[in-house]
Amino acid sequence: MKAENQREAKLRDKILTATREYFQAVYAEKAPFKPGDRIFYAGRVFDDAEMTNLVDSSLDFWLTAGRYADRFEREFAQFLGVKHCLLVNSGSSANLLAFMALTAPELGERQIRRGDEVITVACGFPTTVAPILQYGAVPVFVDVTLPGYNIDCSQLEEALSAKTKAVMIAHTLGNPFDLRLIKGFCDKHGLWLVEDNCDALGSKYNMGNEDWRYTGTVGDIGTSSFYPPHHITMGEGGAVYTQNAELHSILHSMRDWGRDCCCPPGKDNLCGHRFEQQFGDLPFGYDNKYVYSHFGYNLKATDMQAAIGCAQLQKLPEFIEKRKHNWQLLHDGLKDREKYFILPEPTENSDPSWFGFLLTVRPEAPFTRDEIVQFLEQNGIQTRMLFAGNLTRHPCFDEMRKTGTGYRVAGELNNTARVMHDTFWLGVYPGLGEMQIAEIVNLIRSAGVKLHG
């Protein structure tokens, strides 16, 4: 057996060495950027560590969550400073799982039920809102402010009703919303706070007296996405995290089919009481591995995805700094174009880990948003909208708009409408060098003349 183990170890080492050599031969050398090359808004940044981890995990042929998933959950929780973290298969699943947990019956009077209301924004990504609607709750949409693009906190009290149970919102493109104010609002009214942290991994907020915390860790539940454009990637993947042991137990069950049993894949009877308990109206001693305490799904990620994430996590601090650096270069380079654009600004008391650089075209500009976006795209600069712009204007809301049911709007969504018509954003991801950023700046600065002479 010892000889077999030694042979296996040598073969594995040989394969991983060849993998590193393959990376060097195929991916390590990149052609230098030259003006006219396509500049993407986001992309994967990786080296041989991700590749060797991926191959290493594949050699185990453990095709579900395993040792790398355990390691990622532990190290990601340590990075954020939270007690509990669960790896899932996407950021959208993380949002679904976070909201599902708040519908659990064991939460008593705080359980979110059909018809209960959840304060959110229409100016964002749809999977922050979709779980609310899926579970029969009512999203209450509040406007955003410029130049922060986060929820307008002055409308919170107007949005509140006797049916309000939670606030579920995202930190827009890495810029934290006013966590101190919103957390205080939620605590005052006994509301859950779910932080969609998918675009803000590594952002920090000062809760007072230099109490700096990572976004996603202040509310009751935080979520992250590891889709390729995000701060770190494992291809598909996401995470949900909390300081609350009861919520963690619910989240764990719902992620794993709704099972009562907490044994990981391939493990049996860790509690020692698998056939010795009474559950519901089942026969005494019914196999605990097939007892379902909740309605859930299989939302786990694979160990191969987690292996990539473990390598990416080691690079996260430098990724954050590069994103900040690129954002600042864009801000400095376009500062004297404020007569044409509203430039983005960080929230007070925050230190953002930027996902992108937002620009809102002013009415005085010699071009519209659509014109400058088309100009940039035609010149090789990839752009993006601020996701849905105004989600309530999309086809998925057609029936609800016709009937006037299913959602509510607090106040007017004036800035949301402006974002829908006038706003776009550019990339700041770590794969962009200073030459690419300079090219973006130069093209934007020349847009007025080139578009209209």
Side-chain angles (χ1 to χ4, degrees), residues 342-383:
I342 297 174
L343 298 186
E345 295 294 341
T347 300
E348 186 178 2
N349 298 312
S350 77
D351 180 16
S353 172
W354 296 101
F355 188 56
F357 189 87
L358 279 155
L359 288 168
T360 296
V361 179
R362 296 183 187 272
E364 301 81 15
F367 44 74
T368 65
R369 189 272 308 277
D370 292 347
E371 286 176 330
I372 191 168
V373 162
Q374 291 171 20
F375 170 75
L376 291 171
E377 292 281 352
Q378 290 165 4
N379 283 275
I381 310 298
Q382 197 174 42
T383 64

Side-chain angles (χ1 to χ4, degrees), residues 51-73:
M51 272 199 168
T52 52
N53 274 16
L54 176 60
V55 173
D56 185 48
S57 67
S58 73
L59 294 175
D60 293 343
F61 211 66
W62 188 259
L63 302 180
T64 183
R67 63 185 176 101
Y68 275 109
D70 291 343
R71 174 182 159 190
F72 183 87
E73 289 177 342

Side-chain angles (χ1 to χ4, degrees), residues 79-80 197 200-204 214-215 231 316 320 351-353:
F79 174 85
L80 290 172
N197 200 40
L201 180 58
S203 293
K204 293 181 178 180
Y214 282 114
T215 53
H231 289 67
L316 180 55
I320 292 169
D351 180 16
S353 172

Side-chain angles (χ1 to χ4, degrees), residues 13 17 37 49-50 63 71 129 158 180 184 244 290 351-352 374 381 395 405 422 435 438 452:
D13 184 63
T17 298
D37 287 349
E50 283 83 355
L63 302 180
R71 174 182 159 190
V129 175
E158 183 179 354
R180 198 187 312 177
N244 185 309
Y290 293 98
D351 180 16
Q374 291 171 20
I381 310 298
T405 60
D422 300 331
M435 289 183 66
H452 295 292

Side-chain angles (χ1 to χ4, degrees), residues 60-268:
D60 293 343
F61 211 66
W62 188 259
L63 302 180
T64 183
R67 63 185 176 101
Y68 275 109
D70 291 343
R71 174 182 159 190
F72 183 87
E73 289 177 342
R74 181 176 64 255
E75 293 181 356
F76 193 63
Q78 289 171 350
F79 174 85
L80 290 172
V82 294
K83 294 178 181 177
H84 309 289
C85 172
L86 291 168
L87 185 61
V88 295
N89 56 17
S90 74
S92 298
S93 292
N95 281 342
L96 174 64
L97 187 59
F99 191 80
M100 284 169 59
L102 303 182
T103 69
E106 55 260 55
L107 298 178
E109 292 184 0
R110 298 194 68 189
Q111 175 194 10
I112 296 178
R113 299 177 175 86
R114 287 184 173 275
D116 286 338
E117 294 186 343
V118 180
I119 297 172
T120 187
V121 298
C123 183
F125 202 75
T127 58
T128 314
V129 175
I132 303 170
L133 291 162
Q134 278 185 263
Y135 278 84
V138 178
V140 179
F141 293 112
V142 175
D143 205 7
V144 297
T145 61
L146 304 181
Y149 301 91
N150 280 308
I151 189 169
D152 184 347
C153 295
S154 69
Q155 294 186 353
L156 288 171
E157 293 292 343
E158 183 179 354
L160 186 70
S161 78
K163 295 182 178 181
T164 307
K165 286 288 186 70
V167 175
M168 185 168 178
I169 46 178
H171 301 283
T172 305
L173 291 197
N175 196 22
F177 54 75
D178 190 336
L179 270 165
R180 198 187 312 177
L181 193 153
I182 291 176
K183 182 65 164 62
F185 172 80
C186 289
D187 289 347
K188 176 182 176 182
H189 297 289
L191 309 178
W192 300 109
L193 174 57
V194 178
E195 295 179 68
D196 181 337
N197 200 40
C198 291
D199 294 343
L201 180 58
S203 293
K204 293 181 178 180
Y205 186 89
N206 182 8
M207 295 298 291
N209 299 316
E210 298 304 310
D211 178 17
W212 288 91
R213 302 189 202 175
Y214 282 114
T215 53
T217 70
V218 175
D220 296 285
I221 304 175
T223 63
S224 284
S225 171
F226 307 130
Y227 193 64
H230 286 278
H231 289 67
I232 60 173
T233 185
M234 51 181 70
E236 303 290 349
V240 58
Y241 33 95
T242 182
Q243 304 281 20
N244 185 309
E246 181 181 28
L247 288 178
H248 173 68
S249 177
I250 297 168
L251 290 162
H252 193 283
S253 172
M254 290 180 168
R255 185 198 66 171
D256 294 17
W257 301 279
R259 277 181 172 172
D260 186 83
C261 176
C262 62
C263 289
K267 301 291 184 181
D268 292 338

